[in-house]
Amino acid sequence: MDNKLVLLSVQNHVGVITLNRPEVGNALNLAMAKELMEVAIHCSESNEIRAVVITGAGNKFSVGGDLKSFANEGNQIGSHLKSVTAYLHQAISYFARMNKPFIGAINGVAAGAGMSLACACDIAYASEKSKFVMAYNKIGLTPDGSGSYFLPKIVGVRRALELMYTNRMLDAKEAYEWGIINQVVPEEELMSVVHELAEKLASGPMEAYGATKKLFYQSLQETLESQMSLETQSLAERANSEEGREGISAFLEKREADYLKFNKE
């Protein structure tokens, strides 16, 4: 891809997305949001990519929105932000809905939309030097980038509001304790640890990952009985799929399942 602000590399079925504006802490502007959406579409459609990792260039993940570029729009700032968030939100929707694990490698500060993006990952690992802050209310704004959707579901409404009202900054250890990240990793080991995880997941049952993600998101709006009905339907479909038949056969034959043979390259 020709993108310069959001880079994508692919190795061993793992797509690594790098937010690439290190000179401004990978702040998100209109051009970067558009490129992120384009990369999200490519990742969701590519048969070569079976797991996706997102990280930031330099020593920060993302400091959030590029406020300087927003302010330059003057009275058109509202219209401009609608364009920025249209691209950003579509990108996050593709990441959330694709049948592929979406893994965050949070390599430094994740603020504002950067923290929202970290929360939108299926799994997130962070370096010991990473820090997390919502930051929106401090400048009189409200969250975007799915922050108001994922954060309260991860930490609970009261803690989410505390983070919003007080702009409290969490270090990596606190973010782990609050459930915002899955694991804290030494800075120099972050990408190798995350890539190892991504490669392992990339060899797994991708369609089952997608169906599981869908079930989890649906559970937020279903009753107990309706959710169990969806579980029954999904389970039956998965058991009768190529992945399901291979997984069951491999278990009974005491061998490793080969899900990569179903990859449509």
Side-chain angles (χ1 to χ4, degrees), residues 78-189:
S79 297
H80 184 73
L81 284 175
K82 286 182 178 179
S83 296
V84 174
T85 55
Y87 289 125
L88 173 62
H89 291 173
Q90 193 60 62
I92 291 172
S93 182
Y94 282 122
F95 289 137
R97 305 302 182 192
M98 67 183 179
N99 290 340
K100 305 167 186 184
F102 182 43
I103 307 167
I106 315 304
N107 56 307
V109 172
M115 182 169 175
S116 293
L117 186 54
C119 290
C121 295
D122 300 337
I123 302 171
Y125 283 20
S127 76
E128 293 171 321
K129 295 184 178 180
S130 63
K131 296 182 184 299
F132 299 80
V133 59
M134 286 304 277
Y136 294 96
N137 280 181
K138 185 175 183 179
I139 53 175
L141 301 180
T142 52
D144 63 349
S146 75
S148 64
Y149 181 86
F150 285 109
L151 183 61
K153 292 171 177 63
I154 293 170
V155 305
V157 173
R158 285 187 173 176
R159 278 187 160 181
L161 286 173
E162 177 189 352
L163 291 178
M164 287 300 306
Y165 290 167
T166 67
N167 299 291
R168 175 176 172 180
M169 180 175 286
L170 302 177
D171 61 25
K173 181 175 180 292
E174 290 172 313
Y176 168 74
E177 292 170 347
W178 283 37
I180 294 171
I181 58 172
N182 296 83
Q183 190 171 321
V184 181
V185 181
E187 183 179 20
E188 65 276 8
E189 299 176 16

Side-chain angles (χ1 to χ4, degrees), residues 1 3 6-10 15-18 39 42-43 49 52-53:
M1 301 183 73
N3 291 347
V6 180
L7 307 179
L8 175 65
S9 62
V10 183
V16 178
I17 298 169
T18 304
V39 169
H42 181 80
C43 288
I49 298 172
V52 178
V53 173

Side-chain angles (χ1 to χ4, degrees), residues 18-29:
T18 304
L19 305 176
N20 190 40
R21 296 185 74 208
E23 69 282 1
V24 289
N26 300 315
L28 189 85
N29 62 5

Side-chain angles (χ1 to χ4, degrees), residues 215 218 222 225-235:
L215 276 174
Q218 285 177 307
E222 298 290 339
E225 287 72 21
S226 64
Q227 182 66 17
M228 288 193 293
S229 177
L230 292 171
E231 288 181 344
T232 296
Q233 180 179 338
S234 182
L235 180 63

